[in-house]
Amino acid sequence: MPNPWTGKGNPYTREEVIERLQATVSSGQSIIAAGAGTGISAKFIEKGGADFLIIYNSGRFRMAGHGSTAGMMSYGDANAIAMEIGEYEVLPVVEEIPVLCGVHATDPRRRMWHWLLKVKEMGFSGVNNFPTHTLVDGHFGKVLEETGMGVEKEVEMVALARKMDLFTSVYVTTPEQSAAMAKAGADSIIAHVGTTVGGSIGVTNAVCSIEDAAKRTQDIIDAAKNVREDIIFLSHGGPICTPEDAAYINQHTDTVGFVGASSIERLGVEESIMNLTKDFKLIPIE
């Protein structure tokens, strides 16, 4: 039975989101998702043809001129920020595509089942795991794991979201994380290969090559496929910052699309505003 609330900014069921994405792939098109930190970004990302949007706290920092990694720091309540961007900026202007909420699943102050109910009630069609401790490695990563604030909390959140009929598209950085998310029931796995290069605040040295990104992405995919075959695989980050880069990853891995945050929202704004301002500076005064 069709969902009577679908469309015109209203939420979709998990199955409806999956059907939409599968239809995109069946038509021969790549799935393109994007992070949006403001309403105007969301509005025009949708007009550009994106398949779904993700709202997370890093979008606010990114569109304030700071690096997206600020979203990983204790500069505010990540869950509250994502909810606020969704409620007051993005959900009111998006007309048709699904919108996912970034959830900081390791926040010890949240009862996750209760928070996911609020996310669903607000009108989000699914969730993403950001801020994500999948990006934290080394000694600090081990400390988080040992003190109950590790990646396992994100895996538990995904399993709970699956039970609550929320679509899940999640970041992972290793094959082990990928397998765990597949077991938890993730609908889409995003191979995160690092902070996006380029622009005014992108990284320059802390990044792998595009060839290495493809290998890392396929390793992540293979680990999940050993668990389930029905997962939608997407790429993100590192040297994958242009349409040509994303096409390379699609051609050399089993991904069927790309998730852009800085690469769509920030880089698009930086260059277009700068060049437009330069053009205005050239106008004559007589």
Side-chain angles (χ1 to χ4, degrees):
M1 180 178 178
N3 178 4
W5 303 108
T6 294
K8 295 186 178 179
N10 293 314
Y12 292 89
T13 67
R14 171 182 166 269
E15 190 59 39
E16 286 168 342
V17 178
I18 293 171
E19 288 175 359
R20 288 170 61 92
L21 299 181
Q22 288 175 338
T24 295
V25 175
S26 296
S27 71
Q29 291 185 311
S30 287
I31 294 168
I32 300 299
T38 66
I40 195 165
S41 297
K43 179 182 287 190
F44 287 94
I45 288 169
E46 180 178 33
K47 287 183 181 297
D51 296 284
F52 65 90
L53 287 164
I54 307 175
I55 310 306
Y56 26 53
N57 71 324
S58 64
R60 172 156 293 173
F61 294 107
R62 180 168 56 244
M63 299 313 288
H66 309 297
S68 297
T69 305
M72 293 288 293
M73 306 301 289
S74 55
Y75 301 148
D77 183 336
N79 284 310
I81 291 170
M83 183 71 80
E84 183 179 81
I85 295 171
E87 180 177 7
Y88 297 114
E89 296 193 50
V90 173
L91 290 170
V93 301
V94 170
E95 296 183 358
E96 199 269 336
I97 60 174
V99 182
L100 277 56
C101 184
V103 173
H104 193 190
T106 62
D107 187 340
R109 304 165 302 167
R110 303 282 182 185
R111 294 168 292 160
M112 196 44 57
W113 64 269
H114 184 250
W115 185 248
L116 292 182
L117 283 173
K118 291 188 175 218
V119 166
K120 191 169 185 178
E121 181 184 34
M122 184 55 62
F124 290 100
S125 299
V127 295
N128 166 265
N129 60 327
F130 195 91
T132 175
H133 292 189
T134 64
L135 295 172
V136 183
D137 56 15
H139 176 72
F140 187 49
K142 292 178 181 177
V143 169
L144 289 173
E145 297 291 340
E146 291 182 14
T147 53
M149 291 176 283
V151 175
E152 181 58 33
K153 290 290 185 182
E154 298 178 31
V155 175
E156 291 173 3
M157 182 274 288
V158 169
L160 185 57
R162 171 74 181 253
K163 291 180 181 178
M164 296 172 71
D165 197 37
L166 286 161
F167 176 78
T168 54
S169 185
V170 298
Y171 289 124
V172 302
T173 62
T174 69
E176 293 76 18
Q177 294 166 1
S178 185
M181 286 297 191
K183 290 175 184 176
D187 299 304
S188 167
I189 288 178
I190 309 163
H192 195 307
V193 295
T195 303
T196 302
V197 304
S200 64
I201 48 179
V203 299
T204 55
N205 296 318
V207 67
C208 62
S209 67
I210 191 71
E211 294 81 10
D212 188 41
K215 183 183 183 306
R216 288 169 59 181
T217 297
Q218 190 59 47
D219 288 344
I220 284 168
I221 292 170
D222 290 341
K225 280 190 170 183
N226 285 334
V227 179
R228 288 176 29 232
E229 290 283 348
D230 61 336
I231 300 170
I232 298 167
F233 295 104
L234 306 171
S235 65
H236 172 82
I240 316 168
C241 61
T242 68
E244 293 75 21
D245 298 330
Y248 179 93
I249 300 297
N250 271 6
Q251 291 161 5
H252 291 82
T253 72
D254 294 331
T255 57
V256 293
F258 171 72
V259 176
S262 294
S263 51
I264 289 179
E265 186 177 42
R266 174 175 61 81
L267 294 180
V269 166
E270 285 181 354
E271 202 156 313
S272 61
I273 290 179
M274 179 180 67
N275 290 335
L276 183 59
T277 304
K278 287 180 177 179
D279 288 344
F280 272 109
K281 282 295 291 180
L282 295 175
I283 63 174
I285 58 175
E286 293 181 358

